[in-house]
Amino acid sequence: MSDNCLFCKIIKGAVPSDKLYEDDDVFVFRDIAPQAPVHFLVIPKKHVKGPGAVEAGDERLMGKLIRVADQVARQEGISQYRLVFNNGEKAGQTVFHIHMHVLGGRSLTWPPG
Ligand code: AMP
């Protein structure tokens, strides 16, 4: 946990969220500014700043994010979706607690802007 981290506050319940799933390791909630009909964020409870800060011992946890993303996507009624991690400001990262965007419910173009 990091005191000044928005997503750590969401995990603790200090900031409200539209929670879709939670277990001992992972927290899932709807993005506040959805970019697709289905858009939610999958985060580890462990505070990791971003993909570039993932450590050797985190591999299992990072893999779990994908499995939970698929489970929640299916709960939301979709089996086709895009997973996105932004790493650093130039890549569009605005919250520095690692998060996987799950986007779906419409056709998505490639490449992204
Ligand atoms: P990124 O730009 O990759 O760092 O993604 C951060 C995401 O967090 C954005 O898509 C925001 O819309 C989303 N976000 C910011 N604040 C909140 C919040 N309080 N609840 C839910 N999603 C949020």
Side-chain angles (χ1 to χ4, degrees):
M1 291 284 166
S2 173
D3 285 347
N4 287 324
C5 170
L6 172 62
F7 286 178
C8 286
K9 288 178 183 164
I10 285 177
I11 292 165
K12 281 189 290 188
V15 170
S17 70
D18 191 351
K19 181 171 83 172
L20 296 173
Y21 174 89
E22 180 177 13
D23 65 25
D24 288 346
D25 308 310
V26 178
F27 194 94
V28 182
F29 55 107
R30 289 190 202 283
D31 197 292
I32 205 166
Q35 302 300 311
V38 177
H39 185 182
F40 59 86
L41 303 174
V42 182
I43 65 176
K45 289 188 171 177
K46 177 181 178 184
H47 180 79
V48 176
K49 277 170 64 178
V54 170
E55 296 171 336
D58 296 330
E59 284 115 337
R60 195 176 180 85
L61 177 59
M62 295 302 139
K64 185 173 180 180
L65 300 184
I66 296 177
R67 192 168 58 71
V68 170
D70 185 75
Q71 181 184 319
V72 176
R74 288 170 191 276
Q75 279 168 22
E76 290 294 295
I78 60 168
S79 59
Q80 301 184 59
Y81 47 79
R82 180 172 294 167
L83 305 180
V84 175
F85 285 97
N86 294 323
N87 187 57
E89 285 175 20
K90 278 191 185 166
Q93 186 176 8
T94 58
V95 178
F96 290 84
H97 181 126
I98 192 169
H99 48 280
M100 177 191 285
H101 293 262
V102 182
L103 297 138
R106 66 170 170 83
S107 294
L108 300 165
T109 56
W110 190 262

